[in-house]
């Protein structure tokens, strides 16, 4: 009897199995397949795109190459396809992004009985590679690449303790948060129950945006800019009459609550924030004085130097000896004290929240502080899911790529929501665990006779349930 040839092939299966688990739960077939009727179903490509995004974060061309491997095609239930098919499918997803988000929201609300639908909204930017997209514009770059065109994107998430994203939007790179807000908010509406609380930073706090929220029977909680009108309340702020809202490590937060212009106002004074502001001012002045002294020494020694201008409040140190002598009239200590005194505004340690809902001073502060979850989600999208940089050139493809990143983040967030033991895990830890889950195919005479899953840990055990080996 001839010896049978046995050969093994191992590859990461965690990302595919992870996405397939939620493909069924979220109803990808119902959501996506209505937008494509020919050849393979669009939902299968979405599973592949999302799994690739979690595992590799490479170009769509790379995704097509990875998905076209025989063992991956088998796992996805796809037939071999051309790279241009991947781009066409991505554009189809982007073209119908509004409908896809709406259908996903409906599905989530039908499955999960969320305890509330209060939502945090935030916006950021992404570097765009290529110059053919109409969305590509130069604007304020959060990625510190002002030399590149960019797009802006918005995210809405259900507030704590849910912390699951429900919306993503894309706009041109020069759109401000206050302009982007209505677009993101309107796309969030179907994900909200009546009288939900919309929580945003001061960048989106405008009279029109707040009116829009109220028009749709929801409430808002916003950070507000400290204005000259508030300065009078700051001047009269009395800790003895204010309410102590929080105390941590010996530092207290005080609140004065009042009503104005049909909204509830919460003026807080934080001792820790005050100390941090004062220390930052002192450090900044020390840095400026050091730079000015270095420049003065160069002038007096008549050495060659690069011309610079340093702004020291009302003092300006330049290459002019006459102005430099003006600085010499004060000692370093006297100058430092003068500049520090002039830098004090009286607003140090104060911040203002406004709401259309009558919250307690505890509730308003707690809800706004918990808003940092959406900033963490933004960080996860950019640095774990890695939706940046955007490597496609057409608007629909850009929207499709963002939507793929959105679903990757949505699935991770749902996993954390459903499993209390995983809520404290960083998304990076979860992704690394998923990537490590390995499937080994044992071949005998060109036929698979056994499949073995390995590298199982406490996190990816959730994907497998109790089943660790399939024969």
């Amino acid at each position: 009897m001839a010896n049978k040839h046995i050969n093994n092939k191992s590859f990461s299966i965690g990302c595919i199995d992870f996405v397939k688990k939620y493909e069924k739960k979220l109803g990808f077939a119902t959501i996506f397949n209505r937008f494509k009727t020919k050849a393979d179903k669009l939902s299968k490509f979405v599973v592949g795109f999302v799994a690739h995004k979690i595992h590799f974060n490479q170009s769509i061309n790379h995704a097509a190459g990875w998905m076209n491997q025989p063992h991956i095609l088998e796992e996805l239930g796809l037939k071999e396809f051309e790279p241009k098919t991947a781009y066409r499918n991505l554009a189809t997803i982007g073209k119908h992004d509004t409908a896809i988000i709406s259908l996903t929201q409906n599905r989530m609300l039908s499955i999960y009985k969320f305890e509330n639908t209060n939502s945090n909204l935030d916006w950021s930017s992404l570097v765009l590679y290529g110059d053919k997209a109409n969305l590509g514009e130069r604007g304020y770059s959060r990625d510190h690449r002002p030399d590149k065109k960019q797009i802006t994107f918005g995210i809405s998430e259900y507030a704590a303790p849910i912390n699951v994203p429900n919306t993503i939007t894309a706009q041109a790179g020069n759109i401000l948060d206050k302009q982007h807000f209505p677009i993101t908010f309107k796309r969030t509406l179907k994900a909200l129950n009546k009288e939900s609380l919309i929580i945003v930073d001061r960048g989106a706090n405008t009279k029109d945006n707040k009116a829009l929220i109220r028009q749709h029977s929801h409430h808002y909680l916003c950070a507000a800019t400290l204005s000259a009108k508030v300065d009078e309340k700051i001047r009269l702020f009395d800790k003895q009459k204010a309410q102590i809202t929080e105390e941590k490590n010996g530092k207290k937060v005080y609140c004065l609550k009042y009503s104005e212009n049909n909204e509830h106002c919460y003026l807080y004074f934080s001792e820790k924030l005050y100390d941090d502001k004062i220390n930052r001012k002192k450090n900044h002045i020390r840095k400026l004085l050091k730079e000015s002294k270095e420049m003065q020494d160069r002038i007096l020694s008549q050495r060659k130097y690069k011309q610079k201008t340093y702004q020291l409040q009302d003092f300006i140190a330049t290459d002019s000896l006459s102005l430099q002598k003006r600085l010499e009239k004060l000692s370093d200590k006297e100058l430092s004290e003068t500049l520090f005194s002039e830098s004090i505004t009286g607003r140090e340690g104060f911040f203002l929240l406004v709401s259309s809902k009558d919250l307690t001073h505890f509730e308003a502060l707690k809800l706004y502080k918990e808003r940092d979850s959406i900033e963490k989600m933004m960080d996860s999208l950019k640095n774990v899911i890695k939706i940046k940089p955007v490597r496609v050139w057409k608007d629909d493809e850009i929207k499709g790529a963002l939507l793929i990143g959105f679903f990757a983040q949505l699935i991770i967030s749902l996993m954390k929501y459903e499993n209390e033991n995983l809520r404290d895990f960083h998304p990076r830890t979860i992704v690394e665990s998923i990537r490590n889950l390995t499937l080994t195919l044992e071949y005998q005479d060109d036929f698979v006779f056994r499949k073995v899953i390995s590298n199982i840990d406490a996190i990816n055990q959730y994907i497998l349930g109790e089943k660790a080996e399939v024969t």
Side-chain angles (χ1 to χ4, degrees), residues 97-275:
D97 64 335
T98 300
I100 288 169
I101 287 291
S102 178
L103 291 165
T104 303
Q105 291 170 346
N106 290 340
R107 181 72 176 183
M108 278 200 295
L109 289 175
S110 69
I111 296 173
Y112 301 96
K113 305 302 179 184
F114 293 129
E115 44 267 62
N116 68 74
T117 56
N118 295 342
S119 293
N120 302 311
L121 277 65
D122 203 5
W123 299 267
S124 190
S125 62
L126 297 171
V127 173
L128 179 64
Y129 281 67
D131 56 5
K132 293 184 179 180
N134 294 324
L135 290 174
E137 294 285 354
R138 284 187 169 82
Y140 173 68
S141 176
R142 275 87 158 188
D143 292 327
H144 310 293
R145 289 298 305 272
D147 58 312
K148 290 284 187 183
K149 287 186 177 182
Q150 63 178 23
I151 62 167
T152 58
F153 73 101
I155 288 287
S156 174
E157 66 148 9
Y158 291 121
I162 304 167
N163 302 125
V164 169
N166 56 56
T167 299
I168 190 166
T169 55
Q171 289 294 300
N174 57 357
I175 294 296
L176 301 176
D177 292 356
K178 63 183 180 181
Q179 298 167 308
H180 203 151
F181 171 85
I183 297 161
T184 308
F185 172 67
K186 288 176 182 177
R187 187 173 286 190
T188 306
L189 284 172
K190 291 191 70 174
L192 306 178
N193 295 326
K194 192 176 180 180
E195 295 193 346
S196 294
L197 189 65
I198 307 302
I199 307 165
V200 296
D201 205 350
R202 60 177 55 88
N205 179 359
T206 68
K207 183 178 179 180
D208 288 343
N209 286 342
K210 290 188 290 188
L212 179 64
I213 294 171
R214 296 299 294 132
Q215 179 186 330
H216 288 277
S217 301
H218 297 299
H219 289 284
Y220 60 81
L221 174 63
C222 311
T225 302
L226 295 176
S227 63
K229 192 174 183 180
V230 181
D231 285 342
E232 181 64 18
K233 293 190 179 293
I234 291 176
R235 188 179 68 80
L236 298 173
F237 193 90
D238 186 348
K239 290 183 181 179
Q240 300 300 321
K241 296 180 180 179
Q243 295 173 302
I244 298 175
T245 305
E246 184 178 87
E247 184 172 2
K248 189 174 182 181
N249 299 325
K251 301 292 183 181
K252 296 178 181 178
V253 177
Y254 300 85
C255 180
L256 171 65
K257 179 181 175 182
Y258 60 96
S259 295
E260 193 172 80
N261 298 326
N262 296 319
E263 65 183 5
H264 305 280
C265 305
Y266 308 83
L267 181 62
Y268 294 94
F269 175 75
S270 166
E271 293 178 335
K272 182 180 183 304
L273 180 60
Y274 174 83
D275 291 343

